[in-house]
Amino acid sequence: HPLKKIKFTNISAEESARDLGYNLKLLFLSQVATPIIHSDCSGYPLAVGQNEKIFKPLVLDVGLMNNLARVFWPSFQNKSENELLTEGVIAEQFVGQHLLYHEEGYLEPKLHYWLREGKLNNAEVDFVIEYKNKIIAVEVKSGSTGKLRSLHQWMKDTAVKNKQALRFNLSKGAYEQVNYQYKEEQLTYNLTTLPLYLIGQWKRFV
């Protein structure tokens, strides 16, 4: 499943993890897909805190992802543009494929995400990027609203001082201060929200 943490047992119970890992590596080398690797976001650069065993695949583009999932045009032809973009995985793929190439062309494309796993406190931030000496957590929502529990958790758990929160959704966009009561702690941070169609211009707003 695209943009979900890879577990070899979910792909095939018959193939060995070694063989599956090798085949995935070939897909990544061919750039048909790219691994989005978990980073604990403990400092700069993000790659220092990454765990290459924890990753989720980002497909080359939205069209290829839909084709692999056998989602074809007749499925969407009677839907409005908003309905098409609000499909959660499609929206996340759309944002991810743009963020992957946000750096200079001579640098190898690389993208991270943040994952916290536990019995009671699972949390995942869709993408994490470095820009202008800041670590930016990026959340993608499939509608004009949505809960920010994982973003709250990231802002609380991440020790770096120069960090920022960025959200993409179907709203008109806004700058706002988020106040969240986390148990005994009051969490306050600034959140930039942009509409999905501004993905190509996000650097102007952070």
Side-chain angles (χ1 to χ4, degrees), residues 26-170:
L26 292 180
L27 285 175
F28 296 152
L29 287 173
S30 68
Q31 297 185 343
V32 172
T34 300
I36 310 303
I37 302 172
H38 160 70
S39 173
D40 62 14
C41 301
S42 57
Y44 305 92
L46 287 171
V48 172
Q50 73 181 21
N51 183 343
E52 294 186 352
K53 294 182 179 180
I54 302 175
F55 63 93
K56 58 182 182 178
L58 180 76
V59 185
L60 180 63
D61 64 19
V62 171
L64 181 59
M65 183 195 73
N66 285 339
N67 186 272
L68 290 171
R70 301 192 66 79
V71 177
F72 303 119
W73 174 244
S75 304
F76 288 126
Q77 62 181 348
N78 295 322
K79 291 187 177 182
S80 68
E81 182 178 358
N82 283 347
E83 287 177 310
L84 176 60
L85 288 176
T86 54
E87 298 291 341
V89 177
I90 296 177
E92 189 177 341
Q93 167 71 38
F94 174 72
V95 170
Q97 68 189 49
H98 283 78
L99 293 179
L100 181 62
Y101 293 95
H102 80 89
E103 295 185 306
E104 299 294 336
Y106 59 84
L107 295 173
E108 179 184 0
K110 183 171 290 188
L111 196 55
H112 293 90
Y113 81 117
W114 179 80
L115 179 67
R116 173 174 171 171
E117 294 180 301
K119 292 182 178 179
L120 300 175
N121 54 1
N122 285 343
E124 179 180 326
V125 171
D126 296 324
F127 305 106
V128 185
I129 54 179
E130 295 174 67
Y131 183 64
K132 289 185 176 179
N133 295 318
K134 292 183 288 188
I135 292 181
I136 304 174
V138 182
E139 278 281 82
V140 183
K141 297 300 180 183
S142 59
S144 57
T145 60
K147 295 181 180 180
L148 296 172
R149 186 183 63 82
S150 291
L151 197 55
H152 297 331
Q153 192 73 54
W154 184 86
M155 293 297 293
K156 176 183 177 297
D157 290 353
T158 305
V160 292
K161 295 181 179 180
N162 202 12
K163 56 187 175 182
Q164 188 171 344
L166 176 63
R167 172 176 60 178
F168 287 94
N169 62 16
L170 291 181

